Amino acid sequence: MAENPGTTPVKSQIQRALRTSAGDGDLQTVARLIQGLADVDGVDDHGWTALMLAARNGHDKVVKLLLDKGCDHTLMNKAGQSALAIAEFWHHPAVSHLITQHIQGSNSSSSSNNNVVNFFGLSSLDRFSHKRTDVQWLKEKLHHPSTTFVLFSQSSPYITWSDEGKCQVCRFHYEQIKFLFEKPEKEEPVTIFLGIGDVVASKTKKTSTHNPTSRSFDSSLDQPAWFAVDAGDVPLEHLQEAQPNAELLSPRNYLALMSVADEEAGVIGQARALLSWHDRYKFCPTCGSQMHIQEAGYKHTCQNKECRSLKGIHNTSYPRVDPVAIMAVIHPDGNQLLLGRKKQFPRGMYSCLAGFMEPGESIEDACRREVYEESAIKVGHVTYHSSQPWPMPSQLMIGCFGYAVSTAITVDTEELEDVRWFERRDVAAALQGGGPGTGEVGSQSSALFLPPRQAIAHQLIKAWVGMTANL
Amino acid sequence: MAENPGTTPVKSQIQRALRTSAGDGDLQTVARLIQGLADVDGVDDHGWTALMLAARNGHDKVVKLLLDKGCDHTLMNKAGQSALAIAEFWHHPAVSHLITQHIQGSNSSSSSNNNVVNFFGLSSLDRFSHKRTDVQWLKEKLHHPSTTFVLFSQSSPYITWSDEGKCQVCRFHYEQIKFLFEKPEKEEPVTIFLGIGDVVASKTKKTSTHNPTSRSFDSSLDQPAWFAVDAGDVPLEHLQEAQPNAELLSPRNYLALMSVADEEAGVIGQARALLSWHDRYKFCPTCGSQMHIQEAGYKHTCQNKECRSLKGIHNTSYPRVDPVAIMAVIHPDGNQLLLGRKKQFPRGMYSCLAGFMEPGESIEDACRREVYEESAIKVGHVTYHSSQPWPMPSQLMIGCFGYAVSTAITVDTEELEDVRWFERRDVAAALQGGGPGTGEVGSQSSALFLPPRQAIAHQLIKAWVGMTANL
């Protein structure tokens, strides 16, 4: 990897100077250079950041300053070492302590003070669910000029591409799409109230840690409302009158859905999961009658007045969310990870094992069962890492680490083409790589590559690589 | 609380001697007394165990021996103090360290090496899911004399009561209930293959930590198969011919379902969740046609050959599991817990806030949303504790701790009658109490009581009380 692409020569020189002074322990120069520098995590040809260089030489004051200024301690050099790993290897305990404290955050009662927010998990909207039954309020919001509409067909959003090649969701206003609503009531499109708030689509950021104070906890009625509308088979030209560059993101292509900006992914995921529910659940599962949509898209009611689903509370009336256990399984030696591949994966790609949870299971047992079924590996202790809504159509991915208590693999060839233990260094190298065909790994004949950062599997694998500092 | 009820005078004397020698630091006597003593956790009038007394006086060798012999470090005396809290209060760091290490287990990469197994979460059966499509094997197992059947009507199991007042599920064999299957194919009862293995119903134990090596990972085809059968409206007399004391556990009474033995609860929960699914999901939600049961009860297929649910994979075909976020919310001062009560709760009962997850949410955001909706309390960091399958009809309870970042409560009176902060000492006292009407708490006019131990809310609350040693 060369100098960061797209960096101007001047910025590149400042980054190089930052790394040099960090490695030298020159606190004053580091402090001066870091002012206003957009990318504090610039790397040299070997993937070393300023933080790593300061950690290498035990400059704890510089390390503290760099961490305070937001340097990313999870980055790894091309040898797969994090700043913490480097500090521990060269035995700089003060630096190790600083980085460990930074990782753990200030809350001593939990292992980390920051919850991981995965792709599709970041939404700035307050769902404002108490307003879902307020028909008058909803009607006013529907017609309000500040209200934003996102439109879907075949469960896929209408988007535009920016000049920089970024995928952004088209935002419509009522006046632009009111023709959709000017139909007899029965033909009106499925419309979901998503919530209120501002969704700022900035440049795509990395999956980030969550700062709860930034959420719209204090959102008020003054904030704009958001709705998702299933536009059905409306001709594209009608929408392009309002948004000339509007196009439909490839339907049925899950990878396409991952190209929306991180800031918009949560809203799109919420909308897609609910629209998919309406698409698949049009009839009462208990009696077969037609269902009536209520509560701004969050409830179904059977039209048959005799149906017993109308007595008491039944889950037939509410959106479906399917929990899936997904787990990075760690070898008893701590330095190998169990990954598997499906036939339909691109060549060389392996990922975490995963499976739908069954009724009557705990998360931990679902992890053990799935891993045993697919690989014959026995898992003992299980720890939770993070979760991710996955709108295809409406999964809840529950990401865990599983600690293997056996090592001999038997692949369930009905489910998977291959399951293997991978060495930490090979996994770390694959994390650096971009996709299929990049970089041969270790002694294996084919290159390993991993799911993209938008998938929780990627985040679990990354967390594991950073988990044991002692490489 | 007096000496443990049901203890014979001799055992009671040995327990008293154990406590005395533990408090004196007499390692030899403790080692001798503990041999063969069934209850190493006997308490004195103030709720003190031998472990607490050894911790009080800093006898680390005795503490180590007691922990090794299985003494329960989570117990609290009547002042709500655990052994760790006592050691910290009296500043015996060696003892604190021993207990902390014991709690953390040997695996340094996770906070605890033991996963909590909640009620309905312990099942000794291997689900053997690869056999669900093996029609011939299933048929053989159905008729095999070693096979166990558990019978349900109205989603409730047939049970018997032992002489000691324990509720046990009736286990039938094929010959005893074959009349249920001697009908035209269309009228055959809904039958679910639960798995293979031995379910030993012993005396009811406390919710326990999980030892993965005790699971039937190595289960083979020789182990007995288990099936659940919906017996519908079969006359009770027909079943009593085989099991004279059989009776139907009160249907629709959720508390009744919690009276089954811990060892059987997992099997009953699995069966009930699946039977409830078949009961509620008889018609295809996509086209309204009738569904056909397949794969030993784990799949539905639409009978309409034109239905698009037959193209590709649709969640309409698989059992539903509804994830619920349930959270113990901790006050910023660390010493108060947020609990709420529904109108229909028994008098004085409060529990953790909880709510169904929505599409497009992470677990952490669902916790924050629910707490904010119901109490206006803002939650920052969220940590996962444990999960619990809850077969009413098929929830997955995801138990978390939420760290509040605000304190002023506004109750959502649509959902809850009251929400309050409770002091740690009052919660600890309520954990000691058994149920409504037991023990006045602090200065409040009405006694607080908590959900029973079978509920994950109880386990979350208990874990919180033991979380901060410094009372």
Side-chain angles (χ1 to χ4, degrees):
Chain A
M1 199 184 296
E3 287 289 334
N4 304 7
T7 312
T8 66
V10 174
K11 282 188 183 166
S12 170
Q13 280 172 22
I14 300 176
Q15 286 180 348
R16 194 177 302 128
L18 175 68
R19 287 194 297 273
T20 305
S21 48
D24 293 344
D26 181 349
L27 187 66
Q28 274 73 30
T29 308
V30 169
R32 185 171 50 79
L33 288 170
I34 211 163
Q35 297 290 349
L37 192 61
D39 185 2
V40 291
D41 293 317
V43 297
D44 67 15
D45 290 350
H46 302 285
W48 285 66
T49 62
L51 184 66
M52 291 173 195
L53 289 158
R56 164 67 185 83
N57 295 319
H59 300 309
D60 53 338
K61 288 195 183 66
V62 174
V63 165
K64 183 163 189 326
L65 176 67
L66 292 170
L67 289 172
D68 289 348
K69 295 294 181 185
C71 283
D72 185 351
H73 64 82
T74 70
L75 295 176
M76 288 174 298
N77 62 22
K78 289 195 174 177
Q81 299 166 312
S82 65
L84 179 58
I86 292 163
E88 299 214 333
F89 183 83
W90 293 101
H91 194 60
H92 297 304
V95 173
S96 304
H97 181 70
L98 273 171
I99 301 176
T100 307
Q101 278 213 314
H102 185 80
I103 293 170
Q104 290 180 343
S106 58
N107 192 330
S108 61
S109 59
S110 63
S111 59
S112 163
N113 199 24
N114 286 315
N115 285 129
V116 173
V117 177
N118 292 304
F119 196 76
F120 290 123
L122 176 65
S123 172
S124 310
L125 297 185
D126 181 332
R127 294 188 178 215
F128 238 54
S129 59
H130 62 285
K131 284 294 181 188
R132 291 174 189 164
T133 49
D134 189 338
V135 177
Q136 186 58 37
W137 184 87
L138 288 168
K139 198 175 169 186
E140 281 168 23
K141 283 293 174 189
L142 197 76
H143 296 88
H144 199 279
S146 74
T147 294
T148 303
F149 292 85
V150 290
L151 263 57
F152 288 73
S153 285
Q154 302 170 65
S155 297
S156 196
Y158 287 92
I159 55 101
T160 57
W161 296 94
S162 74
D163 293 343
E164 298 87 40
K166 305 276 184 209
C167 174
Q168 297 196 330
V169 176
C170 290
R171 302 175 181 199
F172 295 90
H173 293 287
Y174 185 77
E175 284 299 315
Q176 299 172 328
I177 55 158
K178 68 179 177 188
F179 64 91
L180 288 171
F181 296 94
E182 288 169 344
K183 292 177 179 174
E185 195 183 341
K186 282 208 164 184
E187 292 172 32
E188 274 189 12
V190 177
T191 304
I192 317 271
F193 170 56
L194 297 171
I196 63 168
D198 286 310
V199 178
V200 179
S202 63
K203 68 187 174 91
T204 302
K205 288 190 300 191
K206 283 177 295 188
T207 296
S208 60
T209 53
H210 186 65
N211 176 8
T213 57
S214 74
R215 287 194 78 221
S216 55
F217 272 129
D218 292 307
S219 47
S220 76
L221 287 173
D222 297 336
Q223 291 192 277
W226 287 66
F227 289 87
V229 178
D230 187 346
D233 51 4
V234 63
L236 182 60
E237 307 85 76
H238 292 200
L239 301 176
Q240 285 178 335
E241 283 174 24
Q243 307 248 4
N245 298 320
E247 59 179 89
L248 188 65
L249 197 66
S250 327
R252 316 291 169 216
N253 180 351
Y254 294 168
L255 278 170
L257 207 61
M258 287 192 249
S259 61
V260 301
D262 292 40
E263 293 77 9
E264 298 185 327
V267 171
I268 296 307
Q270 178 188 355
R272 188 185 200 278
L274 282 155
L275 291 172
S276 298
W277 177 57
H278 289 292
D279 183 49
R280 289 167 188 231
Y281 289 80
K282 293 183 182 307
F283 295 87
C284 173
T286 305
C287 79
S289 304
Q290 283 206 298
M291 301 289 261
H292 180 61
I293 299 178
Q294 289 188 307
E295 299 192 3
Y298 294 81
K299 189 174 180 184
H300 275 163
T301 308
C302 182
Q303 301 263 41
N304 167 16
K305 285 178 184 157
E306 305 300 314
C307 181
R308 66 195 161 93
S309 74
L310 301 179
K311 290 165 197 136
I313 296 168
H314 289 251
N315 59 5
T316 54
S317 302
Y318 294 97
R320 188 171 164 142
V321 176
D322 296 315
V324 171
I326 179 165
M327 42 274 159
V329 176
I330 301 168
H331 192 279
D333 73 13
N335 274 313
Q336 296 176 65
L337 200 66
L338 189 75
L339 300 173
R341 60 170 278 113
K342 295 185 184 181
K343 282 187 196 72
Q344 60 267 41
F345 279 1
R347 200 162 79 90
M349 181 168 134
Y350 282 73
S351 185
C352 295
L353 305 189
F356 285 97
M357 291 190 61
E358 293 197 349
E361 268 184 333
S362 67
I363 292 169
E364 293 78 8
D365 274 349
C367 288
R368 294 187 188 103
R369 178 183 54 75
E370 283 289 342
V371 174
Y372 188 67
E373 284 177 8
E374 297 185 353
S375 69
I377 295 292
K378 297 170 191 173
V379 168
H381 189 57
V382 173
T383 59
Y384 170 80
H385 177 265
S386 64
S387 64
Q388 176 182 44
W390 193 247
M392 307 172 192
S394 187
Q395 277 93 287
L396 169 68
M397 308 301 289
I398 305 176
C400 296
F401 291 106
Y403 292 84
V405 294
S406 75
T407 59
I409 295 168
T410 306
V411 181
D412 170 12
T413 50
E414 297 271 306
E415 290 275 332
L416 295 171
E417 188 180 82
D418 190 22
V419 180
R420 282 192 211 175
W421 292 111
F422 287 89
E423 295 282 342
R424 186 183 298 269
R425 62 172 175 273
D426 295 338
V427 178
L431 277 174
Q432 314 265 325
T438 57
E440 295 289 313
V441 163
S443 59
Q444 287 164 231
S445 57
S446 65
L448 166 68
F449 86 101
L450 300 171
R453 67 170 180 86
Q454 292 89 338
I456 191 173
H458 182 103
Q459 300 302 328
L460 288 170
I461 294 166
K462 188 179 173 193
W464 172 71
V465 169
M467 200 184 265
T468 303
N470 210 353
L471 293 172
Chain B
M1 199 185 298
E3 287 289 337
N4 305 5
T7 313
T8 66
V10 173
K11 283 188 183 165
S12 169
Q13 279 173 22
I14 299 175
Q15 287 181 346
R16 194 176 303 125
L18 175 68
R19 287 195 297 273
T20 306
S21 49
D24 292 343
D26 181 349
L27 187 67
Q28 273 72 35
T29 308
V30 170
R32 187 170 48 78
L33 288 170
I34 211 163
Q35 299 290 350
L37 191 62
D39 185 3
V40 291
D41 293 317
V43 296
D44 67 14
D45 290 351
H46 302 285
W48 286 65
T49 62
L51 184 67
M52 293 172 195
L53 289 157
R56 164 66 184 84
N57 295 319
H59 301 309
D60 52 337
K61 288 196 182 63
V62 174
V63 166
K64 181 163 192 328
L65 177 67
L66 291 170
L67 289 172
D68 289 346
K69 295 293 181 185
C71 282
D72 186 352
H73 65 82
T74 70
L75 294 177
M76 287 175 297
N77 63 21
K78 289 194 175 178
Q81 299 165 311
S82 65
L84 178 58
I86 292 164
E88 297 216 335
F89 183 81
W90 293 102
H91 194 60
H92 296 304
V95 172
S96 304
H97 181 71
L98 273 171
I99 300 175
T100 307
Q101 278 214 313
H102 184 81
I103 293 170
Q104 291 181 341
S106 56
N107 192 331
S108 60
S109 61
S110 64
S111 60
S112 163
N113 200 24
N114 286 314
N115 284 128
V116 173
V117 177
N118 291 304
F119 195 74
F120 290 123
L122 177 65
S123 171
S124 312
L125 297 186
D126 180 331
R127 294 188 178 214
F128 238 55
S129 58
H130 62 286
K131 285 293 181 189
R132 290 173 189 164
T133 49
D134 188 339
V135 177
Q136 186 57 36
W137 184 86
L138 288 167
K139 197 174 172 186
E140 280 169 23
K141 283 292 174 188
L142 197 77
H143 296 90
H144 198 277
S146 74
T147 295
T148 303
F149 292 85
V150 290
L151 263 55
F152 286 74
S153 285
Q154 302 170 64
S155 298
S156 196
Y158 286 91
I159 54 101
T160 57
W161 296 95
S162 73
D163 292 344
E164 297 89 40
K166 304 274 183 213
C167 174
Q168 296 196 331
V169 177
C170 290
R171 302 174 183 200
F172 294 90
H173 292 286
Y174 185 77
E175 283 299 316
Q176 298 172 328
I177 55 158
K178 68 179 178 189
F179 65 91
L180 287 171
F181 295 94
E182 288 168 344
K183 292 177 180 175
E185 195 184 342
K186 282 207 165 185
E187 292 172 32
E188 274 189 12
V190 176
T191 304
I192 317 270
F193 170 57
L194 297 171
I196 64 168
D198 286 311
V199 179
V200 180
S202 63
K203 66 188 175 86
T204 301
K205 289 191 298 190
K206 283 179 295 189
T207 296
S208 59
T209 53
H210 187 65
N211 177 7
T213 57
S214 74
R215 287 193 81 222
S216 55
F217 273 129
D218 292 309
S219 47
S220 75
L221 287 172
D222 297 337
Q223 291 191 277
W226 287 66
F227 289 87
V229 178
D230 187 346
D233 52 3
V234 63
L236 184 59
E237 306 86 75
H238 292 201
L239 300 177
Q240 285 178 334
E241 281 174 24
Q243 306 249 2
N245 297 321
E247 61 178 89
L248 189 66
L249 195 67
S250 327
R252 316 290 171 216
N253 179 350
Y254 293 168
L255 277 169
L257 208 61
M258 286 191 252
S259 61
V260 301
D262 292 40
E263 292 78 8
E264 297 185 330
V267 171
I268 297 307
Q270 179 188 355
R272 189 184 198 279
L274 282 156
L275 291 171
S276 299
W277 177 58
H278 289 293
D279 184 48
R280 288 166 188 232
Y281 289 79
K282 293 184 184 303
F283 295 86
C284 172
T286 305
C287 79
S289 305
Q290 284 206 298
M291 300 290 262
H292 180 61
I293 299 177
Q294 289 188 307
E295 298 192 4
Y298 293 80
K299 189 174 180 185
H300 275 162
T301 308
C302 181
Q303 302 261 42
N304 166 16
K305 285 178 184 157
E306 304 299 313
C307 181
R308 66 194 159 95
S309 74
L310 301 180
K311 290 165 199 134
I313 296 167
H314 289 252
N315 59 5
T316 54
S317 302
Y318 295 97
R320 193 171 159 139
V321 175
D322 296 315
V324 172
I326 178 164
M327 43 273 156
V329 176
I330 302 169
H331 193 280
D333 74 12
N335 274 312
Q336 297 178 64
L337 199 65
L338 189 75
L339 300 173
R341 60 170 277 114
K342 295 185 182 181
K343 282 187 196 72
Q344 59 267 41
F345 280 0
R347 200 163 76 90
M349 180 167 136
Y350 282 75
S351 185
C352 295
L353 305 190
F356 285 97
M357 291 189 62
E358 293 196 348
E361 269 184 333
S362 66
I363 292 169
E364 293 76 10
D365 274 349
C367 287
R368 295 187 187 105
R369 178 184 53 77
E370 283 289 343
V371 173
Y372 187 67
E373 283 178 7
E374 296 185 354
S375 70
I377 295 292
K378 297 169 193 174
V379 168
H381 189 58
V382 173
T383 59
Y384 170 79
H385 177 264
S386 63
S387 65
Q388 177 183 43
W390 193 246
M392 307 176 191
S394 186
Q395 277 92 286
L396 169 68
M397 309 299 288
I398 305 176
C400 295
F401 291 106
Y403 293 84
V405 294
S406 76
T407 59
I409 295 168
T410 306
V411 181
D412 169 13
T413 50
E414 297 269 308
E415 290 275 333
L416 296 169
E417 188 180 81
D418 190 22
V419 180
R420 279 192 216 176
W421 293 110
F422 287 89
E423 294 282 342
R424 186 183 297 269
R425 62 171 176 275
D426 295 340
V427 177
L431 277 174
Q432 315 263 324
T438 56
E440 295 290 312
V441 164
S443 59
Q444 288 164 227
S445 56
S446 65
L448 166 67
F449 85 101
L450 300 172
R453 68 172 179 85
Q454 291 90 338
I456 191 172
H458 182 103
Q459 300 301 327
L460 287 170
I461 294 166
K462 188 179 173 196
W464 172 71
V465 168
M467 199 185 268
T468 304
N470 209 355
L471 294 171

